[in-house]
Amino acid sequence: MAWKDTLLHKRSSSAVIATSGSKGRWASAPFASLPQLLKGNVAGLYVQEPSGEPGTELNMLIRGAAVPYTHRKNMFETQPLVVLDGIPLLSPHPFVYDIQKYSYTRQGGAFEMLNRIDVNDIASITVIKDGSESAIYGPRAVNGVIVVATKQATAKQNYIAVNSWFGWVQRPHVSTMNALTENNFRKPFYEKYGTAADLRKYPAFLRDSTNPAYYGPANWTDLYYRNAAVRGINASISGGYPRANFRLSIGNLRNANPADKAAMDRYTASFSINMMPLKWLTMSTLLNGARLERDRNTYLRDRFAEMRYLPDLVNPLSPNKDNYGRYRSEFDKSYDDNKANALAGFFRLKADVGEAISFTSQLSFDYTEDMRDMFFPGTLLEGNNFASNYVSYNQRIIFDNAAHFSTTWKGDHALRFDAGQSLQLDFYKYDYIYAYKGPNDRIKINQIDNNTQNPKAFPYQLIYKFLDKEKLRLSSLYGRLNYSFKQQVELSLLLRTDGSSNVQASSRWLLTPAVNVKWDAKPVLFKSSRMIDDIALFAGWGRVGRLLSTDRFAQGPQYTVDMSWSNEPVISSYAGISGLMRPYGYGYIGDGISWPYSDQFNAGLNVSLAKGRLTMNVGVYSKTDKNMLLNVPAYSDYGYSGLFANGMRVRNAGVDVSAAYQPLRPGNVIGWTASVAAGYNRNKLMALPGGLREITIGDRHLEVGRAIDQFWVLRNDGIYNSREEVPLHPVSKIPLNYRGIALEKGDPRWRDQNGDFVINDKDKVLTGHYLPVVSGSIGNDFTYGCFNFGFSLYAAFGRSVVNKAMADRFDFINRESSLDMNAVKEITFWMKTGRDGNYPTYNPWSSVVPYRTDQDLFLENGAFVKLRQVTIGYDVTKAGWWKRRKLKGPRNLYVYGNAANLLTFTPYSGGDPELVDFKGYDTGYGLPIPKTYTLGVKLEL
């Protein structure tokens, strides 16, 4: 079976993927997580993979983003709700970012917690994109819903099933360089613009051409890149009787990256049981657990960000294998243990009172842990060793009760009424401690005496502790009425009210309605048509509340003593004396904070033609998020970065199209199914708080009437090759200047948009999009007898990328002039990327910083098309030779092979255009998405 964004229910606009017992292209792919499985296969769902490092977080967006990404924690406000067997899963809380000086990654293990779900256990996935349908899930569903149903206990079939695969990830081909190449790269800048003083400051690692550490062979790649083995196995057993049945599943997965020895291990177990002690009463229980462990990258940047400590960065790592090997051996004396645990389950009672009335009561929970233990020896830190420990746990308990009533009359009318109550209790907590300068490198933990709380190993002045916890209470009531006439017209009305503890008492409750209409037009308009099998039209409108991310907004005006300073967000002590504080310096919260909400309209049609040979779904939507909170720059005199205020409004509108065509029907000698899933999305900022027309937050500029995902840059028109080329003011004869600095020979020709002969922010323009305008996939699946073959292309268009990695390479003077994170050079510094000849030779010593990233010189087309999956399989049990021998044994035996991420087509001049951060910047970080080759077998007994 080919996986495709097919509407299995003709009256539903939700994308449904069935996986249970499937064979074919997607069922044979060794996906490690749910987002990777869905990437490109559902119209309107965009999955951004910022790194190929196993276990790291991926970003999912359903029909665009309603929040401008000014900080990494904004990503948490745009992720869809994932419901696993009726349990709304927890998402990591972003409050831990408030204690980070650098937000490259989230504190702790930073796992993609959806890795907890074993793809082999999934029976079906439903992606609910329309607000009129997702409204039943309440404010948790404002960004859409992904409903995952796992294989459950059943009495229809007793079986044992095993799916096992093994393979490897291929190391990429890279072009290395040593100090000679870097010296030749810098030489033209020094010859054209360098002074004697500049030459005296020439970097030491480039000065001595006889130094084998930097001018020797650049053969470090054997220690950094290697082919790595991957594997996976899942075994399950199911059986029982009509009134008592069970299913047990266990699995293990080893996912790896060819770079930096990065890997992830997952261990999963799932158990479900159904019992009917009475004919009218069903008792169901489910437990789903997972253990995740991963070996992280060894980036210097990420390590220094964790330690808040920068050693001497004058000399980078050596590209020579012997020298780099000695560094790796010292690194091996450290440890960086990352672990996560997850356990979710429910106990459900369902009582059927006759055929018309039923009651359901369910107690469900979700619990996750995230842990990271680190130690780095003094040999890596100028004699100062470092230890840290991070532990967090999140828990959710939900108590649901629902009543259902259904009836029909006169054979044409059907009515169903649902009423329910839900109480959700969330709790988030973390403890974090780090310390410097232990007595030696053999003591790798900081023991605390429980009685005195005095450290036994590390000096108390160099120990820093952080902790925080938050609670969320969400109480909900709803009623839904569904009416059907002759199964041709369906009308659904929903009324829901939610009360959140994160909202101030004056507006704690929000009432949200939703309506949905579907019409089967075939019997009325095309009853006699032989070409049209089915055609259904649907439309809906729904209002969905948006939960506020933290309980701070419920408390109103807050006053605190902020002991931090501009470069360190949280300081826990003053003169060695501990202080108690919470980090509110990021924005002032006043009275009047109320519920944000989203009004969502959708309409479309589902069509089936030529006896199912062509199926198609087209949906149009307009999603307007209103009354949203934004940290508006203000109150800087009081130490705040801004004022949180309601009033931002963002609209996302677009079209989703999915279709499947069968030129050759499966089951014939040769079968061929072609499928496509594509989504078009554009966003627009409709309003800002307080009637503002534009604001600037960091490097993001927002203007009413423009998209929220655009880059704010200067237009670059080349280079001034002489001082005479710099324009002069016609009256004052003062040269064109950048913020008061006169432009000179070797400076960029930045376009003076307003003609005032001053280049500044007023000359910047909004251009490009860091989110794709169009994304999706094209798939083809072929069958020949017992063989199947399939491949898919994944694509994104209308997106731009800032090649920051190349900007940093050219901006070597500023990067090496001060001791900060910009001066860090990873071992991948010695790897050739990009095309140097695409950029002018500016004066790198110029005070205008000519190679800055806020110009369109480094803004490139980030579109791409990838050959993502190629699969071949053979169904042994359907083979004629197997049937002729009348062999007893497995009821199903299927062998398959898969190759992933084989080719990328892109106009982008840098690396993989998919590997960008949340702002659309290609920083050069992020491990490659590897080429993967696997062989596997599926067996059912």
Side-chain angles (χ1 to χ4, degrees), residues 19-282:
T19 67
S20 180
S22 60
K23 304 181 180 73
R25 173 165 41 98
W26 302 117
S28 305
F31 295 113
S33 69
L34 178 68
Q36 288 179 330
L37 185 153
L38 294 174
K39 187 166 77 170
N41 297 309
V42 176
L45 172 63
Y46 173 61
V47 178
Q48 196 253 328
E49 195 166 356
S51 175
E53 183 174 352
T56 54
E57 294 169 322
L58 282 74
N59 305 316
M60 294 192 292
L61 295 174
I62 294 179
R63 291 181 168 176
V67 179
Y69 293 154
T70 60
H71 192 278
R72 186 177 291 273
K73 62 184 177 183
N74 294 135
M75 294 298 303
F76 293 88
E77 303 174 39
T78 59
Q79 300 306 296
L81 171 69
V82 177
V83 179
L84 176 64
D85 293 318
I87 307 168
L89 297 182
L90 282 161
S91 297
H93 199 290
F95 63 171
V96 73
Y97 279 115
D98 294 334
I99 63 170
Q100 289 188 268
K101 183 176 180 179
Y102 306 99
S103 60
Y104 301 129
T105 60
R106 184 167 52 86
Q107 198 73 272
F111 284 88
E112 171 55 71
M113 289 308 299
L114 294 179
N115 281 311
R116 64 195 286 185
I117 303 174
D118 191 333
V119 173
N120 294 283
D121 286 330
I122 297 176
S124 67
I125 304 170
T126 305
V127 180
I128 303 176
K129 299 175 285 186
D130 299 334
S132 57
E133 294 187 16
S134 62
I136 189 64
Y137 291 93
R140 295 170 302 212
V142 68
N143 299 313
V145 187
I146 299 174
V147 180
V148 180
T150 62
K151 302 169 186 176
Q152 297 295 305
T154 176
K156 295 181 179 179
Q157 190 177 36
N158 300 333
Y159 69 89
I160 297 174
V162 177
N163 181 21
S164 179
W165 52 267
F166 177 83
W168 72 95
V169 290
Q170 181 181 347
R171 59 179 290 177
H173 173 74
V174 298
S175 299
T176 61
M177 65 180 189
N178 62 4
L180 178 61
T181 308
E182 180 65 14
N183 186 66
N184 291 335
F185 167 74
R186 299 189 184 197
K187 186 177 180 180
F189 297 96
Y190 281 86
E191 289 179 343
K192 191 171 183 179
Y193 303 110
T195 64
D198 296 327
L199 291 172
R200 286 194 295 269
K201 296 178 183 178
Y202 199 67
F205 73 95
L206 297 175
R207 187 179 295 276
D208 184 5
S209 61
T210 64
N211 185 352
Y214 295 102
Y215 281 86
N219 51 359
W220 55 272
T221 54
D222 291 341
L223 298 177
Y224 190 80
Y225 293 108
R226 87 282 187 231
N227 296 332
V230 293
R231 68 174 187 275
I233 185 170
N234 176 274
S236 62
I237 181 171
S238 178
Y241 301 93
R243 295 183 62 172
N245 45 73
F246 76 97
R247 183 178 185 272
L248 172 65
S249 169
I250 57 174
N252 169 248
L253 176 139
R254 170 75 172 181
N255 194 18
N257 192 280
D260 216 3
K261 297 182 180 180
M264 182 195 74
D265 285 280
R266 180 184 67 203
Y267 307 89
T268 58
S270 178
F271 177 74
S272 62
I273 185 170
N274 298 314
M275 299 183 67
M276 295 181 63
L278 302 171
K279 290 185 178 180
W280 54 270
L281 180 63
T282 302

Side-chain angles (χ1 to χ4, degrees), residues 806-816 844 849 851-852:
M806 188 58 69
D808 289 344
R809 173 166 170 74
F810 277 86
D811 195 30
F812 54 88
I813 293 298
N814 290 303
R815 292 188 69 202
E816 295 171 355
V849 189
Y851 291 110
R852 60 195 321 119

Side-chain angles (χ1 to χ4, degrees), residues 505-561:
S506 59
S507 55
R508 183 148 290 167
W509 289 87
L510 179 69
L511 184 67
T512 54
V515 60
N516 200 27
V517 178
K518 301 173 186 177
W519 176 41
D520 188 352
K522 164 69 176 177
V524 178
L525 301 180
F526 306 99
K527 185 175 182 179
S528 60
S529 173
R530 296 183 179 181
M531 177 61 64
I532 300 176
D533 307 322
D534 289 297
I535 179 168
L537 306 176
F538 59 86
W541 176 89
R543 173 168 291 179
V544 186
R546 178 178 293 275
L547 285 174
L548 298 178
S549 60
T550 173
D551 62 4
R552 298 169 185 169
F553 298 114
Q555 299 173 20
Q558 301 149 16
Y559 304 92
T560 183
V561 177

Side-chain angles (χ1 to χ4, degrees), residues 690-707:
L692 294 173
R693 300 298 300 174
E694 59 181 310
I695 61 171
T696 301
I697 304 175
D699 59 354
R700 286 294 186 220
H701 185 72
L702 302 176
E703 288 186 14
V704 174
R706 302 297 299 270

Side-chain angles (χ1 to χ4, degrees), residues 564-584:
S564 65
W565 56 78
S566 60
N567 290 325
E568 186 66 46
V570 179
I571 305 299
S572 60
S573 65
Y574 180 76
I577 301 174
S578 296
L580 181 63
M581 62 157 294
R582 295 183 70 184
Y584 288 124

